[in-house]
Amino acid sequence: MKTTLLDTTLREGELYRCFKLPVKLAVAENLLRIGIKRIELTLAYPPRTSIEDLRKILKFINSLNGESVIHCRACKEDIENAGSYEAWGIAIYMALSKIHVQHKFNTSNREELLDKLAESVEYARQHGFKYIRTTVEDSSRVFLEEGVDKVVEFVETLRRIGATIVSLPDTAGLLTPPLVRSLFSEIRKRVDMPVSVHFHDDYGYASANTVEAILAGVDEAHVSILGIGDRNGIADLYQVVAPLMDIHGLDLGVKRELLRELYLNFSKLTGIQIPFKHPLSDEARTIRAGVHQFMVSKAPEGYLPQKKLEHDFKKPLFEATPFISKKLLEKILENSNINSAQIKELAEYIGMKAYDNGGKLSISMLYHLLREKGIEVSRERLVEYFGYEKAYTLIKLRERENIEEVFREILNWREIESAEKVQGDLDIILRVKLNPGEEKFLEKLSSMFGRKLQNVSILRIID
Amino acid sequence: MKTTLLDTTLREGELYRCFKLPVKLAVAENLLRIGIKRIELTLAYPPRTSIEDLRKILKFINSLNGESVIHCRACKEDIENAGSYEAWGIAIYMALSKIHVQHKFNTSNREELLDKLAESVEYARQHGFKYIRTTVEDSSRVFLEEGVDKVVEFVETLRRIGATIVSLPDTAGLLTPPLVRSLFSEIRKRVDMPVSVHFHDDYGYASANTVEAILAGVDEAHVSILGIGDRNGIADLYQVVAPLMDIHGLDLGVKRELLRELYLNFSKLTGIQIPFKHPLSDEARTIRAGVHQFMVSKAPEGYLPQKKLEHDFKKPLFEATPFISKKLLEKILENSNINSAQIKELAEYIGMKAYDNGGKLSISMLYHLLREKGIEVSRERLVEYFGYEKAYTLIKLRERENIEEVFREILNWREIESAEKVQGDLDIILRVKLNPGEEKFLEKLSSMFGRKLQNVSILRIID
């Protein structure tokens, strides 16, 4: 059975970070381009959020044959409201676990709530929705407290009242893969109703849980870019799609080779950086151990997954640590006429210096150290192997210049690691990858913004 | 069967970041205090790393009844070297997958390598080690390419040559939980030999894989603090221990309630911050959706795992987003004599302002907005619910002052989010949580460092 991915970056993800219309349109376009058709949005609640924005984004998704889904509460007001838009589907949520029922609705009568849900589904049907999802918030707790029988009972009821698919979210992130396997393989056996999953990441298992659920044959699985969402977020699009395709050979209809680009675009659009420990981070392709560097300089797939090398990273990066490999140095300096005794000595010297420097050498340190030893190597060659030098850039604009405009433009630059607006003597603080050098970056800033800049300073980060 | 955790922050983790002796001693002490006895270290390779440091850290671990394990290559030189220290155990590694054998040893004869390994194990035995682990690097690839039979064959051989435990690492991060389950339940059935696991995180599944392996009954599992290691690192100590104890009720001998403190200490010692999406990050306890805020203000465990609230976080944090909850506002302003119609209006106004501001309001914005509306509420009360205000602090020291000394001291402060040394017009750039305010933080800086400071400026971050 094939699972449909639903991306909820623009709904669940909006709880982590609100997006302006141009960002929403660009995110939707990027998702549709890589093959994710089903995109979820929140109902507009004016004056806090804009009806007009929602109309525009829906129109855009529809025009590209996307499947737009509006997420709303199980009440007449919301359903009618959702029905006034041209959305493809509707998702109606209602909590049925004991603790939620007690604190949200001040009752213990779940029948009454199911009746309200049935009524909402009926309204949705009257509005002509073909996809009517009912979300049983906190389902995992129902499973943990009352067993799979109770979950099955709810699903049966929801099928009877006319929902076309039921979502069984792990609202408080309480499950691990073994529990997911046991819950969803049982659900699959016992209920003839399309099922959707949505895992929260409170213990860090949202993506692993989603992989299990998809392998157990669920019909729809929710993901977001970088896994953003309320609290610690939900399953991460890349972490679900990439291993399912690369390792399990499962085709989810996603253009695998465009995933990294999607993530880089998203970072530029929103300023949300790919964090340390994410499989697409620069750290994920940086090889530090000497024996690993030795191997990777000959066969990168010995340490980096082959498919990640094919689709995500063109090449690994290295670091000049106490463990730096002689073979790697030999390769980098291959036109320098150094013999192997000299290479050995040099590796030990670099290692010692890296140790003294707290564990690694920056590219400039390495460059100067090599020059001291009489070895000529271009900075560009070092950058090729060791990645980037990092620096802060502090920007003060002239008065009356539009900070937001400059900020948005800069966020799009490839060399920006992070960018923040500040209040005080400065306006913008950037963390940048200097590649090739700071002169070039300063030139770029001044040719782009010219007279808008009152002051710019660059501070290289000492690792 | 009970699995022993081996922490390899000071070995595998050292590939991500080298630590100086005082940091190593503190990390070891923290680990032993929470109940993790088995700690792995790398053999010293002078002049790059220091024999004396290794002796001191080993002595310290031994004095606290820890089980120190030295990691080294399968060659006579390394084993003899390792034998000269007073370590409790030894871990000898050697790759046996086809690709590693070919590129590292330039051969296809694995028998020859097994002989070399047998010889190394024999040396280790002569040195009196009771714990002799042999690590079959890249075992997961052997499993994927040649099947479980080949892995079993290697394990049998290693048992015969006298290893006391065999480690079967997923060196290139190629496995997911379903594959781990199938591999290790099979291994358990077919081989009578203690087995250890070590999962790399290239696809983000190291922790989930470790949980599966432990549930499948392996004898030893490798973790590191924050999962640091080469590339994307390995399994994360918290992410393995917390869900196994909280969800699966498995006692791994770890003091659950001290885990967050361990992580906070580690961050202060090393400057490595708990990243976005980690279960212990501030994001993981921040509630943004209005319906969630409403529930959490009454019953936090409705959205946050109960055991995380008990052991990790005293309370949740909130954000002033377009979705801010009326009930939450009511609670925050409970002594302000505002009626519910005014609360509703206020919530809509805050929501609108948050939307206009790009999705949320900082604490000062909220404070000023409330004052504009004639509502008096202390900054402290807002901080209690909304966490911290964030700011950059730029520091220039007087000439001849020891930057490293100041830097190390500052890293230990609770309010520091990140700290970096820079070259140029400044010396140190901090990202801080201002709590309660910038005046207090400036006072702290000047009372601590006084005349050492040439210049300090604080720049509030505009979210």
Side-chain angles (χ1 to χ4, degrees), chain B residues 317-381:
Chain B
L317 293 175
F318 299 93
E319 263 183 16
T321 71
F323 315 106
I324 193 165
S325 151
K326 291 189 287 287
K327 287 280 169 197
L328 177 66
L329 265 183
E330 208 168 340
K331 193 164 180 180
I332 295 171
L333 305 175
E334 63 193 357
N335 296 319
S336 311
N337 291 320
I338 310 178
N339 66 36
S340 63
Q342 288 169 312
I343 286 281
K344 185 169 183 291
E345 198 184 307
L346 188 63
E348 282 181 2
Y349 187 68
I350 291 173
M352 209 172 67
K353 287 286 181 187
Y355 184 75
D356 289 346
N357 189 49
K360 69 173 176 176
L361 296 179
S362 69
I363 290 175
S364 10
M365 283 169 168
L366 186 59
Y367 178 76
H368 289 295
L369 186 151
L370 290 170
R371 282 181 69 100
E372 268 170 37
K373 291 275 170 189
I375 300 160
E376 283 294 336
V377 58
S378 69
R379 269 182 187 272
E380 285 68 20
R381 187 150 179 90

Side-chain angles (χ1 to χ4, degrees), chain A residues 180-198:
Chain A
V180 169
R181 182 164 69 250
S182 102
L183 171 60
F184 287 94
S185 58
E186 199 61 22
I187 295 273
R188 279 279 74 136
K189 264 185 256 163
R190 294 172 53 180
V191 203
D192 185 23
M193 168 76 173
V195 164
S196 174
V197 291
H198 179 107

Side-chain angles (χ1 to χ4, degrees), chain B residues 428-454:
Chain B
I428 295 171
I429 295 185
L430 309 173
R431 229 168 160 281
V432 296
K433 298 171 177 176
L434 293 177
N435 177 15
E438 65 179 77
E439 300 75 13
K440 285 271 158 69
F441 187 66
L442 279 169
E443 266 172 40
K444 185 171 176 181
L445 277 172
S446 72
S447 78
M448 195 72 198
F449 301 115
R451 289 162 311 166
K452 291 185 181 178
L453 304 169
Q454 182 177 313

Side-chain angles (χ1 to χ4, degrees), chain A residues 99-149:
Chain A
I99 184 175
H100 277 246
V101 167
Q102 183 196 334
H103 289 282
K104 280 188 183 155
F105 306 103
N106 223 354
T107 177
S108 62
N109 186 346
R110 297 196 279 199
E111 291 310 314
E112 173 189 316
L113 297 176
L114 279 165
D115 288 347
K116 209 172 157 194
L117 199 48
E119 218 174 74
S120 300
V121 169
E122 185 49 38
Y123 290 136
R125 209 160 36 189
Q126 285 165 18
H127 280 286
F129 288 108
K130 294 283 182 299
Y131 169 102
I132 302 173
R133 189 174 85 225
T134 49
T135 295
V136 184
E137 230 194 327
D138 211 24
S139 287
S140 53
R141 197 179 323 241
V142 176
F143 166 61
L144 293 169
E145 288 177 355
E146 305 172 68
V148 70
D149 289 352

Side-chain angles (χ1 to χ4, degrees), chain A residues 53 103 137 176 181 202-203 205 230 239 246 248 288 292 298 303 308 355 392 420 431 462, chain B residues 53 103-104 137 176 181 202-203 205 230 239 246 248 288 298 303 308 355 392 420 431:
Chain A
D53 281 5
H103 289 282
E137 230 194 327
T176 61
R181 182 164 69 250
D202 294 78
Y203 280 106
Y205 289 104
D230 205 17
Q239 263 184 246
D246 297 0
H248 293 273
R288 286 111 172 173
H292 300 188
K298 294 196 283 182
Y303 284 96
K308 282 183 76 180
Y355 184 74
Y392 280 101
E420 285 175 302
R431 230 169 160 282
I462 305 171
Chain B
D53 282 4
H103 290 283
K104 281 188 182 153
E137 228 195 327
T176 61
R181 184 163 67 250
D202 295 80
Y203 280 105
Y205 290 105
D230 205 18
Q239 263 183 247
D246 297 359
H248 293 272
R288 286 112 172 172
K298 295 196 284 180
Y303 284 97
K308 282 183 76 180
Y355 184 75
Y392 279 102
E420 285 175 303
R431 229 168 160 281

Side-chain angles (χ1 to χ4, degrees), chain A residues 66 77 95 125 140 143 163 203 239 250 270 277 285 305 391 413 459:
Chain A
E77 185 194 345
R125 209 160 36 189
S140 53
F143 166 61
Y203 280 106
Q239 263 184 246
L250 213 67
T270 61
K277 282 294 269 181
R285 61 172 173 143
W413 295 6
L459 300 145

